Amino acid sequence: MEAVKRFGKGLFPSYASRAPMLTERMDDYYIGGLYAMATGANACWHNLIDWFDTGIFTKKCLISDYRHGPGQDAVTGGHGRSSAMAILDAIWPQGEWMQSVDASIKAAVNSANGLLTIDARELVFPDLPHMSPMSYESGSSGRQHAFIVQQPEAQEKPISGDSCAELSTVFPKIKQLYSTAAYSGFGTSVAFGDFSSTGRKDVAIGAPYRRTSDGGNAGVVYVVRGDTVARSFSQQDIEDADPLVLSLHSETNTTNNYPLFGASLAVVDLNADGIDDLAVGSSAYGDNPTGAVLGRVDVYLGRAGSGLATTPDYTLTASQLLEYTDSPFSHQRIGGFLFGEDVDNDGFVDLLIGAPYHADVPYEIHAGRVFGYRARRRVDRFGGQLGRPDFMLSSPERRAYEWFGFSVKAVHVAGNSSFLLVGAPGHTQVDRDMGDEHTLAGTIYAFSINASHPDPRFEGLKFSSIKDKTQLGSQMHVWQTDDKPLVLFGSPSEHNSGRPKSLADPAPPERGWQAGEVRVIDPARWTDGGDKVDGLAGLLETLRGVQSPGHFGRALAAIKEDVWIGEPLSRLGDGRVYRWRKGFANPECYMVENSVGRAHFGYSIVGAEGAKGRELLVVTAPHDSQFTRLGGIMSTTQNNNEATASSDVQPVVNGSVAAADVGSESTQQPQEEAVEIPPEEIPYNLTIKAPNGSVIPIVATSQETIQDLKQAIGETPSTIEYSCFYLAFDDQRLNDFAELGEIEELPKEAHLTMHEDQYTERDARAHVSRLRDLLAGPSTANPIIAGLDAGASIFSTVKHPNGAVD
């Protein structure tokens, strides 16, 4: 196994540099991805048992089941055979394959005890015909295929940009919510929304691989208050954060236990009542996880005061959507790409469903589509079904594997010009001058919208790359600056065109492969006839990643004047994020320390402006394994509008230290006149009495929560032994998530009391974990070493109750 791992590690850069899907879609690609293979094997196993028992095998899940006769190939959709299958048939015909399998596995049931005995013999492989290593040619496609093993070249060492500042230098308050459910994928999707119309931003987090109570991996979505952030760095199990938990209910009509509920999220206003609603996608919902009709979208309506219900108000399945398309042969796959965009600029956010793996006809496989549902007052005439889309968009060129609908964004430009941008990162671009084809170059189509034709209409405006594997259209974001909107085009798999080429020739992969780039575009130039830069109208800046494969631009967000860019695969998969604003020569690099590594920090990013002007940023790391294998973690950060120049720690800009007041002419601040402090800004002077008699003084602001105070108490030496308690004022228990400024009866100077609380099983586990942390000391944990290292303890001695001292 170790030899296989090392061999694969050596080959990976060479193959992954040629096929971006090996890095960016390895986990979640609907067929052939790791999750699809795992769920397929699980579904197939029970049928194999039936085969051993009865000799009848009906489940189409073996390799041989995907090998059909001429003209009926499952992979090519009935239009010819792939070259790979032609090679397989030439070496090992299907009939001989099944006979060999049947002869190698024998099963018998003991009539006395009912035990199933499986006798597995060595599988006999046929003699391979002599083939030239470069000569096999398929008669159907004319393409040549070769099987070559080369000595792998040494991997490129990390280059500049490895040194990053801690994210706390910009956001002094960081709270991490994590999952203790292994392989849950917590943080795969994330979204901000005010679902109860309170003026507060809630945060919804998807965990599509989370096991549910019925034993399946149906997935869940957690909804928690997004602006409840600790006063200092803290970590908390998501189950302890009092979340609203959404999941598919057992009465859903599907035999597939792995629908991936929470694979994508979007905040919309479907019923146009001014309150945010939540759309949740289940990208694998259906009877067959690799079937032609797959996916589901559930919409949970927000309600003033009460928020979201636990059952969806509207539902759309792929089989229902099939009734509204114009082709009875279409392959429907929805739920993996949801977008909330105000298409017609009426102030209400519409629901857009991207379907990049959709096909109207078999020879346009993965051409893609977009289905739009406008925000409007709705009357439920379909028993909770979402019904027919208000509009459906197809690619103007309708090419196979174009992945039209991979990303969608609406942008409204001054002068009453509006566009709906749709990304097609799989588009193959033809260079008209040279006649060359550039695979996976990518294209973004701009559909115009105006009062004369409210449905988006393509009028010829598009943006294309003429460079292989750019995948332009993979990510998009609209940045609302003070004076006008700007558009960000992210192409995380693009080769960094600013990196020098390797001296070796040939040298796959080149330096900078899949480093990623982000382009900053001014859409006002699209209509004024401005000059094109690098083939793109309105191009202002090109930001480039520096590590291979870092996937700079995998996630994009913007808060006021700052743009945030995710690079989840940098630092050997640890991941990091970058901040950029107009005037910066290079993006600033930030990270959050992870003792285990390979967390994919920066996989998803969302930003918002919270209550009282606070800047909120959420960054997820769905592969984080600090608390359990691939459990996932989400970092919620908050900035109370404090200037980053006041920080003592300076950010790092691609390997070099940059002044924290970038863009200012002078670091000396003029002396301000004394101003009257508003009552809500006057700090609270609190004293808290513990059960052991200790008194802890705490100074806090009105934005701090009771949970923040508890965190501070838990870090105080005199009360460090308490892990399960609550705070009370005038003998009244205080809500852990209430801000001090919201507690009307609480004066600016108050005395609170601590009370020990009843331990639940979760609390007891947390207490034991805390004790182990205290005994282990402040040194970085080594996951390989089990047990406690008393020599590294923060305590000099350990006393037994009988008086003995260790």
Side-chain angles (χ1 to χ4, degrees):
M1 179 60 71
E2 184 62 27
V4 172
K5 289 170 60 179
R6 292 185 180 183
F7 184 67
K9 187 176 181 180
L11 289 181
F12 181 79
S14 180
Y15 284 94
S17 64
R18 293 169 171 81
M21 185 172 291
L22 286 179
T23 51
E24 60 193 11
R25 310 294 292 178
M26 180 180 288
D27 295 339
D28 58 355
Y29 188 57
Y30 78 99
I31 181 170
L34 295 179
Y35 187 81
M37 288 192 293
T39 55
N42 182 287
C44 194
W45 175 250
H46 298 286
N47 295 88
L48 286 174
I49 295 298
D50 291 338
W51 180 30
F52 297 152
D53 191 13
T54 65
I56 301 174
F57 188 72
T58 59
K59 184 71 174 179
K60 302 299 182 182
C61 60
L62 294 179
I63 294 177
S64 61
D65 297 313
Y66 293 94
R67 298 170 58 192
H68 303 274
Q72 300 181 7
D73 182 13
V75 174
T76 59
H79 291 266
R81 300 177 51 70
S82 71
S83 301
M85 289 188 175
I87 295 173
L88 187 60
D89 280 341
I91 297 175
W92 201 352
Q94 183 175 0
E96 295 181 13
W97 151 260
M98 289 304 297
Q99 292 177 6
S100 181
V101 171
D102 189 55
S104 63
I105 301 177
K106 298 296 182 181
V109 178
N110 188 314
S111 58
N113 54 25
L115 293 179
L116 173 66
T117 303
I118 300 175
D119 183 12
R121 301 180 179 87
E122 182 178 0
L123 189 62
V124 180
F125 291 87
D127 294 331
L128 297 180
H130 176 73
M131 300 177 65
S132 173
M134 296 287 290
S135 65
Y136 183 83
E137 182 175 346
S138 168
S140 59
S141 68
R143 299 177 61 185
Q144 291 187 338
H145 299 262
F147 301 91
I148 303 173
V149 178
Q150 298 178 343
Q151 179 67 26
E153 298 182 7
Q155 293 193 61
E156 178 185 354
K157 295 183 179 179
I159 54 182
S160 63
D162 294 332
S163 298
C164 286
E166 283 284 345
L167 188 59
S168 58
T169 60
V170 177
F171 290 88
K173 297 183 177 183
I174 298 180
K175 182 169 186 175
Q176 290 188 329
L177 295 174
Y178 59 86
S179 173
T180 55
Y183 304 97
S184 67
F186 177 73
T188 297
S189 57
V190 64
F192 271 129
D194 183 4
F195 305 118
S196 55
S197 190
T198 60
R200 299 183 179 279
K201 291 291 185 182
D202 302 327
V203 60
I205 315 105
Y209 312 125
R210 175 73 162 87
R211 293 183 65 84
T212 53
S213 57
D214 58 3
N217 282 1
V220 301
V221 172
Y222 300 96
V223 183
V224 297
R225 278 178 49 181
D227 58 353
T228 301
V229 184
R231 60 184 293 134
S232 59
F233 180 86
S234 65
Q235 295 175 321
Q236 185 180 21
D237 188 341
I238 181 62
E239 304 289 349
D240 296 333
D242 193 26
L244 172 68
V245 181
L246 306 177
S247 64
L248 286 178
H249 294 271
S250 58
E251 63 268 16
T252 54
N253 185 22
T254 177
T255 59
N256 177 21
N257 292 327
Y258 312 96
L260 299 189
F261 179 82
S264 62
L265 301 172
V267 174
V268 299
D269 189 4
L270 193 64
N271 58 350
D273 63 352
I275 304 176
D276 290 341
D277 309 321
L278 182 65
V280 182
S282 304
S283 60
Y285 178 89
D287 291 337
N288 183 354
T290 60
V293 180
L294 209 62
R296 169 178 170 138
V297 177
D298 293 289
V299 180
Y300 298 79
L301 297 181
R303 295 171 174 81
S306 59
L308 305 175
T310 56
T311 55
D313 296 274
Y314 293 99
T315 294
L316 176 71
T317 65
S319 58
Q320 294 168 359
L321 189 59
L322 191 65
E323 302 173 7
Y324 308 122
T325 56
D326 50 11
S327 172
F329 305 102
S330 64
H331 287 196
Q332 295 286 353
R333 293 189 177 93
I334 61 174
F337 303 84
L338 300 181
F339 310 95
E341 299 293 327
D342 185 1
V343 176
D344 44 13
N345 202 19
D346 62 354
F348 300 105
V349 181
D350 310 300
L351 171 62
L352 299 171
I353 302 173
Y357 306 136
H358 172 93
D360 286 328
V361 291
Y363 55 83
E364 291 179 358
I365 188 170
H366 290 197
R369 250 194 175 182
V370 173
F371 305 95
Y373 290 86
R374 284 195 173 88
R376 65 173 187 268
R377 299 288 180 177
R378 294 179 176 270
V379 178
D380 185 5
R381 299 189 181 96
F382 306 101
Q385 294 185 18
L386 203 52
R388 178 182 295 273
D390 294 310
F391 60 87
M392 294 181 281
L393 302 179
S394 297
S395 168
E397 302 185 28
R398 294 178 67 125
R399 298 186 181 184
Y401 294 100
E402 193 176 19
W403 299 331
F404 177 87
F406 202 92
S407 61
V408 180
K409 276 294 175 183
V411 56
H412 306 289
V413 188
N416 201 28
S417 296
S418 297
F419 300 94
L420 184 65
L421 307 177
V422 181
H427 178 87
T428 297
Q429 183 67 24
V430 179
D431 188 339
R432 295 180 180 178
D433 296 331
M434 304 298 295
D436 298 331
E437 284 193 354
H438 301 280
T439 59
L440 296 176
T443 286
I444 297 173
Y445 298 97
F447 292 77
S448 61
I449 307 165
N450 56 49
S452 62
H453 54 87
D455 286 349
R457 184 167 64 183
F458 183 68
E459 297 180 341
L461 179 62
K462 68 176 183 178
F463 311 91
S464 300
S465 171
I466 55 172
K467 187 169 62 173
D468 290 349
K469 306 180 189 67
T470 296
Q471 293 198 113
L472 186 68
S474 296
Q475 296 292 332
M476 293 188 290
H477 187 78
V478 176
W479 176 22
Q480 295 292 344
T481 63
D482 293 337
D483 53 346
K484 61 182 178 180
L486 299 178
V487 183
L488 308 174
F489 292 166
S491 47
S493 64
E494 182 174 2
H495 179 275
N496 181 344
S497 56
R499 294 295 301 163
K501 300 292 185 179
S502 174
L503 297 178
D505 185 25
E510 297 284 1
R511 297 182 65 187
W513 66 276
Q514 294 184 29
E517 297 191 1
V518 174
R519 294 169 174 84
V520 184
I521 310 290
D522 182 0
R525 306 282 181 87
W526 299 346
T527 56
D528 63 6
D531 295 335
K532 293 184 178 180
V533 180
D534 291 339
L536 294 177
L539 179 62
L540 302 178
E541 298 276 355
T542 298
L543 312 176
R544 296 184 172 97
V546 295
Q547 274 203 0
S548 302
H551 280 227
F552 178 83
R554 168 61 177 80
L556 300 171
I559 314 174
K560 297 183 179 178
E561 59 186 7
D562 292 333
V563 170
W564 290 92
I565 304 168
E567 191 183 48
L569 299 183
S570 61
R571 301 174 65 227
L572 300 178
D574 288 358
R576 54 193 178 187
V577 297
Y578 291 82
R579 182 181 69 155
W580 181 84
R581 63 175 61 170
K582 288 186 289 185
F584 278 20
N586 292 292
E588 297 175 348
C589 178
Y590 297 95
M591 56 171 287
V592 171
E593 192 59 49
N594 185 311
S595 60
V596 179
R598 302 191 179 185
H600 292 189
F601 180 73
Y603 184 88
S604 296
I605 306 176
V606 293
E609 186 175 347
K612 303 178 182 178
R614 304 175 196 169
E615 296 180 17
L616 305 175
L617 184 74
V618 169
V619 184
T620 71
H623 282 213
D624 185 273
S625 300
Q626 292 182 87
F627 302 93
T628 188
R629 177 67 174 164
L630 299 180
I633 199 166
M634 179 194 76
S635 298
T636 307
T637 63
Q638 174 179 302
N639 186 340
N640 291 338
N641 270 335
E642 299 170 355
T644 57
S646 63
S647 174
D648 294 333
V649 182
Q650 294 179 324
V652 176
V653 182
N654 282 359
S656 60
V657 177
D661 57 345
V662 173
S664 63
E665 297 180 358
S666 174
T667 59
Q668 185 174 359
Q669 300 295 328
Q671 186 173 2
E672 297 182 357
E673 297 180 1
V675 294
E676 183 179 354
I677 301 176
E680 63 271 13
E681 297 302 328
I682 298 176
Y684 285 80
N685 292 295
L686 307 174
T687 56
I688 302 174
K689 186 175 182 179
N692 61 8
S694 302
V695 177
I696 306 103
I698 292 181
V699 178
T701 66
S702 59
Q703 292 85 28
E704 312 291 352
T705 66
I706 298 299
Q707 181 66 33
D708 296 339
L709 303 185
K710 294 176 62 176
Q711 177 71 25
I713 293 170
E715 297 171 354
T716 303
S718 62
T719 54
I720 201 170
E721 69 268 24
Y722 297 105
S723 61
C724 186
F725 61 90
Y726 65 89
L727 297 180
F729 175 68
D730 283 346
D731 296 328
Q732 296 295 321
R733 181 169 182 158
L734 300 176
N735 188 333
D736 285 350
F737 299 100
E739 292 187 356
L740 298 182
E742 297 175 339
I743 306 175
E744 297 180 357
E745 65 274 12
L746 187 68
K748 291 294 182 179
E749 295 189 4
H751 300 279
L752 307 182
T753 55
M754 282 178 58
H755 299 269
E756 295 187 77
D757 207 353
Q758 293 290 330
Y759 278 84
T760 63
E761 181 179 354
R762 184 182 297 112
D763 293 330
R765 292 180 180 275
H767 186 89
V768 173
S769 177
R770 180 174 175 80
L771 177 60
R772 291 171 61 91
D773 291 342
L774 292 173
L775 291 174
S779 59
T780 302
N782 186 343
I784 300 176
I785 302 176
L788 299 177
D789 184 1
S793 173
I794 63 173
F795 301 109
S796 58
T797 60
V798 178
K799 290 186 177 181
H800 191 271
N802 62 12
V805 177
D806 293 334

